[in-house]
Amino acid sequence: MGDFATFYANGGVFMHAIALCAILGLAVMVERFIFLFFRFNINGQQFFNQIQKLVMANNIDRAIKLCNAADKAALARVVKAGLTRANKSESDISAAIEESMLEVGPAINKRVPMIAAIANIATLLGLLGTIFGMLEAFRAVADAPADQRSTALARGIGIAMNTTGFGLMVAIPLLAAHIFISNLAKKISDEVELYSVKLENLLAARVRHS
C-alpha cells in the first residue's frame, strides 16, 4: 500500500480523475453484473420446455404461475405477457409479446456501453497526464536551476509514466468486464427473441386448433 500511495502521489492531479473513473466504472460493472446474472438471467431452454409442456397440456394458469416464480427474469416477463393473451387472437398475442420485448430490451442493455466509455476516458486521462508530465519535464530542462533540474525532471517523468500506467490499470479490467457483461446481455436478448417467437407460434397454433 505504501508503494501504491507513493505511485499515486507522484502522478499528480490526473490520478484523482482516473481514480474517479475506477470507482464509477466498478460501481456500474457490479450493478450490471448483479442485475443481469442474478435477476434477468435464466436457463432459457429449460424454462421454455416447461412452458411448452404446460401450454400443450392446456394448463395456461400453471404456466403463468411458473413465470411469476421467476418474475425478475426477462424471458419470463415476455413469456407471461404472451400467456396472459393465450385465449385471444393471434394478433393480440403477437402485440403483447412485442410490447413486452420493447420493455425488457432497453433494461437488458442499460448502462452496458457506459463501462467501455469509462474505460476509454480513463485511458485518455492517462495520456493527457502523460502530455502534461512531459511538458513539465521539458520546462525543468529549460528553466529549472541546475541543482534542482534532476528533481524537477524526475517529477515530470513520474507524472507522465504514472498517469499512463494508472489509466491502463483502470481501463484494462473495465474493458474485460465490458466484454463479459456485453456477452451476457446478448445471450439474454437472444434467448428472449428466440423463445418469444417460439411461444408466439405455439400459442398461435393453439388458437387455430381450438
Side-chain angles (χ1 to χ4, degrees):
M1 287 298 294
D3 290 340
F4 181 79
T6 303
F7 168 81
Y8 188 91
N10 290 341
V13 294
F14 284 97
M15 300 292 272
H16 303 315
I18 298 170
L20 182 61
C21 288
I23 295 168
L24 182 59
L26 180 63
V28 175
M29 178 182 70
V30 171
E31 185 271 339
R32 284 291 85 192
F33 177 78
I34 292 172
F35 188 87
L36 291 173
F37 193 81
F38 294 106
R39 293 187 62 190
F40 257 33
N41 195 26
I42 196 172
N43 187 325
Q45 183 175 358
Q46 181 180 344
F47 175 77
F48 186 77
N49 286 343
Q50 293 176 300
I51 294 293
Q52 186 177 31
K53 290 177 182 177
L54 292 170
V55 171
M56 292 177 71
N58 206 30
N59 199 340
I60 301 299
D61 289 340
R62 189 171 176 186
I64 292 174
K65 288 180 180 178
L66 184 62
C67 293
N68 289 335
D71 62 335
K72 301 297 183 183
L75 179 59
R77 289 168 59 181
V78 173
V79 169
K80 181 182 175 181
L83 291 173
T84 55
R85 301 290 192 278
N87 296 319
K88 304 291 185 179
S89 66
E90 292 182 35
S91 59
D92 286 338
I93 294 170
S94 178
I97 291 174
E98 184 177 350
E99 180 181 347
S100 183
M101 288 178 66
L102 290 174
E103 289 177 356
V104 302
I108 293 171
N109 296 295
K110 188 178 181 181
R111 284 189 290 277
V112 174
M114 188 176 176
I115 301 172
I118 294 171
N120 289 332
I121 291 171
T123 303
L124 293 174
L125 285 170
L127 293 175
L128 190 59
T130 300
I131 292 171
F132 277 84
M134 294 308 296
L135 288 174
E136 184 168 329
F138 293 147
R139 280 197 299 269
V141 172
D143 303 330
D147 58 335
Q148 300 176 12
R149 190 170 298 165
S150 60
T151 302
L153 183 61
R155 172 172 168 74
I157 294 174
I159 292 173
M161 295 297 101
N162 291 10
T163 52
T164 301
F166 192 40
L168 293 175
M169 287 167 59
V170 171
I172 292 171
L174 286 179
L175 287 174
H178 177 257
I179 292 171
F180 175 81
I181 292 173
S182 294
N183 286 336
L184 179 58
K186 186 177 185 303
K187 176 251 184 189
I188 295 171
S189 296
D190 289 347
E191 285 189 344
V192 168
E193 291 180 13
L194 172 64
Y195 292 113
S196 63
V197 172
K198 286 180 176 289
L199 177 69
E200 188 175 337
N201 292 335
L202 181 65
L203 294 178
R206 178 179 176 274
V207 169
R208 287 194 295 268
H209 290 90
S210 61

